[in-house]
Amino acid sequence: ALDGYRYSYDELYSANVEGTRCVLELQRSLPKASLVYASTGAIRTVIAHSMEAENHGLLTDYAKTKYMAHSLIRLAGQRAT
């Protein structure tokens, strides 16, 4: 993961969101593979506040992209059940 202090939004999006998407695609291509995901405390703000807000109540690009990655994981888990 990349932090928001040294990297642009595009770099963070590529690493955090697209990187997560690639891991999920790989996991889906391997029928017996399991995926263990460890989230980040950066998304606590969005959970504590309105998840419907346009900016998800997050202050940093890092937290925004980590929340998007977390959402991809959550959606993949819902599809698997």
Side-chain angles (χ1 to χ4, degrees), residues 18-30:
E18 294 302 326
T20 298
R21 190 182 322 274
C22 288
V23 169
L24 287 169
E25 288 175 13
L26 176 63
Q27 190 267 333
R28 278 191 291 260
S29 73
L30 303 168

Side-chain angles (χ1 to χ4, degrees), residues 41-58:
I43 67 165
R44 283 184 297 186
T45 303
V46 72
I47 293 170
H49 296 92
S50 171
M51 292 175 61
E52 304 301 320
E54 178 71 22
N55 68 353
H56 301 296
L58 301 173

Side-chain angles (χ1 to χ4, degrees), residues 38-77:
S39 189
T40 176
I43 67 165
R44 283 184 297 186
T45 303
V46 72
I47 293 170
H49 296 92
S50 171
M51 292 175 61
E52 304 301 320
E54 178 71 22
N55 68 353
H56 301 296
L58 301 173
L59 301 176
T60 67
D61 289 340
Y62 172 79
K64 290 176 187 178
T65 59
K66 292 304 283 186
Y67 177 76
M68 289 179 214
H70 182 84
S71 297
L72 289 174
I73 295 289
R74 190 174 57 239
L75 181 59

